[in-house]
Amino acid sequence: MSHSGSQPMSATRINKHFLLATTIAFGHIRSQSSVVCKLVAADPTLMFTIFCAKFFVPLVEQELVRSTVDPSSAHRIRVIGTGNHGPPASGTTIEALGNMMLELAEDESEAYRKLVKEGSLTCTATGHKFDYHDIPKPAQCQIDYFCGSLAPVIREITPEVVIVFSWV
């Protein structure tokens, strides 16, 4: 996985860009990361950006390794932490968890705006700045069911994008 905005790209030009917005549920990212790894390994022109909560970045990266990300394609998967939330405290009520998920979706919405409109984005977990100036806007956005409020933002900014909802 790419952690540095200065990570060299391969000689193959990136001409497709997909985005995954995931929630803070380990069972969700497990199957999603497997799909991401398979797609990126199958297409050397595909870049995948994964948005997740700041505290969830290490878990997503571990799951990508578990999903056997191909070392030759790992630099085309960017895991970007959004917002500054910590993990939910033990005993968090379902209402508080729901509110947190709404806030996380707002963080991902802001990250999407920056990615598309500014052409760069900084991971809140690592501080690494990712450059997207030479990467096309996302053509497909796979949104976890619990990040659904991100869809109208994506549609407003990039009306041509294909939005796929997933729940695993």
Side-chain angles (χ1 to χ4, degrees):
M1 286 68 50
S2 180
H3 297 286
S4 169
S6 62
Q7 177 82 340
M9 292 304 240
S10 67
T12 304
R13 180 162 166 69
I14 302 297
N15 62 20
K16 286 183 236 131
H17 182 196
F18 290 178
L19 176 99
L20 168 64
T22 191
T23 190
I24 55 171
F26 195 62
H28 290 234
I29 193 59
R30 179 157 283 170
S31 59
Q32 291 168 339
S33 64
S34 178
V35 170
V36 168
C37 290
K38 286 177 180 13
L39 289 172
V40 170
D43 185 349
T45 68
L46 176 63
M47 163 74 70
F48 231 110
T49 298
I50 300 174
F51 285 168
C52 63
K54 173 184 177 176
F55 70 90
F56 210 56
V57 168
L59 296 172
V60 171
E61 291 174 341
Q62 289 170 10
E63 202 51 45
L64 287 166
V65 169
R66 180 185 293 237
S67 295
T68 61
V69 63
D70 181 346
S72 68
S73 60
H75 68 280
R76 291 184 288 110
I77 302 173
R78 295 177 172 182
V79 180
I80 299 181
T82 63
N84 286 305
H85 294 279
S90 178
T92 299
T93 65
I94 193 72
E95 291 84 10
L97 189 57
N99 288 334
M100 181 182 182
M101 288 184 163
L102 287 174
E103 291 171 8
L104 291 171
E106 288 175 18
D107 295 337
E108 290 180 345
S109 295
E110 183 59 28
Y112 189 79
R113 280 187 190 92
K114 287 182 180 180
L115 182 150
V116 172
K117 294 188 176 198
E118 297 176 16
S120 64
L121 191 58
T122 301
C123 175
T124 58
T126 64
H128 292 296
K129 186 173 184 176
F130 293 93
D131 183 1
Y132 282 89
H133 288 96
D134 294 332
I135 308 295
K137 293 177 186 172
Q140 176 178 310
C141 295
Q142 181 178 337
I143 304 173
D144 189 284
Y145 181 79
F146 290 103
C147 300
S149 60
L150 178 59
V153 173
I154 291 171
R155 184 66 66 214
E156 175 188 321
I157 296 168
T158 48
E160 68 283 358
V161 75
V162 174
I163 297 176
V164 178
F165 285 97
S166 65
W167 182 352
V168 288

